[in-house]
Amino acid sequence: MATPAPEPSPDADEPVREPRWQRALTAVVMLAIIGYALAGIGAPLLGLKVFAATDMLADKAPYATSGLSDVQPTNTFLNDTVDSVLPNTALFGELFREGDVALWNPYQSGGSAFGSTPNYALYNPLSVPYLLLPGWLAPGYVKLLEIVVAAGATFLFLRRFSLGRAAAGLGGLVFVGSGFLIAWTNWPQSRVAAFIPAVFWCVERLVSSRRARDGALLCLAVAAMLLGGFPAVTGYTILFAGIYLVVRVLAEYGWSWRRIVGIVGGAGVALVGAVALAAIQLMPFVSAMSGVYIAGREQTPGDHLLPVTALTAVAPWAFGTTDPDRGPYWYLPVNLVESSVYVGAAAVLLALIAVAFPRVAAGRLPRGGFSYFLVATVLGLVVIYGGGAPLAALQKLPVLFSDNFVGRMRSVLCFLVAVLAAVGFDLLVRRVAVARDADGRVPRWAWVAWPTAVFGGALVVFAGLLWRGRRAAQIAQGGTEGGYRVSWFDDQILWAALFGALALAAIVLTWWAAARRPAVAGVAALVVPVLIAVQALSFAGPYWPKSDKDTYYPVTDVHRYLASHLGDDRYAAGGAMFVGADSAYPLRALNGHLFIGKRLGEALDGMPGWGLGDPPTYINFRSTLQTAQQPLFDRLGVKYFVSAPWDEVFGTVTEAANTGGTSAVRGDQPLRSEVPGTGPLRGVTVKLASAFRPASDATITVVLQDEKGAELARASRVIIGRDNRGEGVAAGTAMTIPVAGEDLPPGTKAYATFTQDAPEALTLAGGVSVVRPADDGLRLAYAGNAVVYERLTALPRIRWANTPVVEPDAAARITLVNSGTLKPGQVVLDAPGPAVKAGSTAKVSVLEDGADAISARVDASGEGYLVVADALQNDWAVTIDDKPATLVPADHGMVAVAVPAGVHTVSLSYRTPYHSLGTYLSAAAASVIVAIFVGAWFRSRRKRRSEPAEA
């Protein structure tokens, strides 16, 4: 049973009656949590801002020059949330509100499992705002729900024991303001971690009450984590909560094996029930992950956090910021998101108080509870920061430690420290005396020796970390600007020391005045939660994004062009667009940030001059001619290639005649110049005689006219001004303005007129050069805020093939599809298939090309293959005229189906793997849970009705 709060007695050091200031303290703690949430999230809750780092879009074309040039990203570590989490989650919510549960996402990287798996935490309870609200509004409310659930569950857990309301609330405040929950905001990770205290609360209920409904609650809490899409946090939570369960059961029931087996068995059943409840997503997840390209996840004993990063517990910005304009950019090898263990200076002091007085602290938690939290915290610190043999032993275990960075254990570590801080705060405000011995004396070790050792040891460790931290700041980046980093480090430590000093003063004053001057103690105690909230806000405030609404995936001229011209095909980008944002539009892109089909990943990794990087979930390309001409792009249906307007314009350069002299271009002083050569062109190049650095954004426009003055083409290029952090154009630079002029008739003589709208003069040297089309398989189709090349060699994404080429060897097959030797009508198969008629033709009409289904009408003169250039080899099925057919691998990473002669309807559909079994398991688990709660309600109701009769 849970240890009840002791009844106050005249002999106790606690007051007989809770003073008014302690009741007020509880209110202040709750207000601190509310204030932290509202102030930290702020304007996005009112719809005035977006609680997401969409301001990062401003660094890429076409956004940079289409209205976002004055936007400066404030947190450049949140890239994943903007290129993966947010656009995909918002897309799911948008389709959901339209009545479509999207199980597959076709808009990135050849397609990937979507709503069928928990990768985006779409069915996590905290994701509900995405289902109900627009994508630009939902993230702030998701964070608000996280804070409510995490703080509320921590409060409920700590109130199971002898802790007062103020201490229980303070534990929740420390946890929601901790580094993991702050740093992983807008990722599914924080939505998973918010349920950590709920799992501990349910475990404690099961241990103390031994009721089926408590097991059902545990099942729900674990299932919520499993649906959160980040197995590492769930695994660490189950590990630590499982050890807590064993410790508590042994401490509570001794050698009563019947009870022990019953409780542990009940927890095991609850865990199995959680897996069953989430089976509707877990089973497709297992199937989907077995078919994706994964590399580089193996862990070694050396893969741990640097010990010096433990300083982020009190000084979160000590090693740099997320914004180089606010200080040095984070410079340690492991980034801030993975390194921060922030809990706050006041929380660390409170946790040390609990450790310094273990005998009385143990009385605030149930039997075995304090020992568990103390030992678990120490061991967690050793493994996370020390690595070595302990981590090596743990990495022998399957999955959890072998494939997941141990730094993710910080999620549970922050909760453990929050519990110890709550215990320390309770000892402080409720004036619990140091335990006395049998003679009524306080042992010297209890009030002098051990506390001195604890605080002295902490000071020694802190001093050592300070020395190593200053050294790390000095030598980072080869020592360049080391003095600046050291100065910043010192300032951050002093800032943390200020909070620590104020907290220490408040703690000492509260302890001293609790029995002498309650009013003074009350005021001093109120300072502690305020300090915790304020320091947490000093981390969360600058870290949490609050972007302008017009940065939320704005539709630019380039997006409009692609939307009207792509059809059923896709595009690739090099140096332009924002990888992964395509789900927000939606447009099919080969670029993307999600799990890639294994064989498509292998094919991409084999492209000449390119390879999948680390991690292999990220597909992006360089803006080079070789990239734009990749043969694999042809077979993947990549119809367009997009580059930035400041990147090289592909083609043949015709140099200007050396006219000598310079010319100035101002708003009232255009420059007209003859263009060398005749006919189609892709760009006009001028050379700057002097630097052009306008104060505000400047638009340079070139108008091409024929000899009679008729306009042939027009194009512009924006130079970002100094006011918007632009660097302008340096003297001597050959600046090209891309022009969609490939439709100019051959032999056409053109003249270029330049204008610009900045007050500063644009001074040009010599004449005008041009970039003319080359025989490169490209056509510059659009020049605006980005440059769009049509790839003339691209095959349709959904096409007919009449000549199978069989290549059973995977390596040879990858080389072949990347070789450029295949003809348009050929398709590469793993094994021989049905015989096809050589030279057959077919008219392919796409009927449906949605998220989960593709269908086409094929009118074929003979047998052949319908090829779909998507990564559909796993979990997709095909029918021909509603009769099952066989979907076979094609071109290594794509699919094809043999189609007989005649008119047929070919339909491909995503079939959620193990859908029926997963649904049955989840439905059965849900039914059992409902039955348990209904039965408990009826028993409780019957008991209440019987009590008056018995009386």
Side-chain angles (χ1 to χ4, degrees), residues 645-716:
W646 46 81
D647 288 334
E648 175 192 2
V649 175
F650 307 137
T652 302
V653 176
T654 302
E655 297 288 351
N658 187 9
T659 60
T662 62
S663 304
V665 181
R666 295 185 174 86
D668 59 350
Q669 186 178 340
L671 172 66
R672 179 180 170 86
S673 180
E674 180 180 350
V675 173
T678 61
L681 53 78
R682 292 178 179 173
V684 177
T685 303
V686 292
K687 187 173 183 179
L688 272 65
S690 60
F692 181 59
R693 295 190 173 92
S696 57
D697 293 358
T699 301
I700 302 173
T701 301
V702 58
V703 178
L704 297 180
Q705 299 170 308
D706 62 15
E707 294 177 312
K708 296 181 180 180
E711 183 173 312
L712 301 173
R714 174 187 295 264
S716 299

Side-chain angles (χ1 to χ4, degrees), residues 708-797:
K708 296 181 180 180
E711 183 173 312
L712 301 173
R714 174 187 295 264
S716 299
R717 178 168 167 182
V718 176
I719 306 299
I720 299 175
R722 297 191 307 274
D723 293 345
N724 294 329
R725 307 174 191 273
E727 298 180 357
V729 185
T733 300
M735 180 179 66
T736 299
I737 301 175
V739 181
E742 296 209 34
D743 293 333
L744 271 64
T748 302
K749 185 66 177 176
Y751 297 83
T753 300
F754 294 89
T755 58
Q756 60 96 3
D757 57 6
E760 296 87 354
L762 172 65
T763 306
L764 306 179
V768 176
S769 302
V770 294
V771 181
R772 297 203 180 272
D775 185 17
D776 52 14
L778 304 174
R779 173 181 172 272
L780 198 156
Y782 180 80
N785 289 298
V787 181
V788 182
Y789 295 92
E790 183 180 4
R791 301 184 67 261
L792 303 177
T793 56
L795 302 174
R797 183 178 133 261

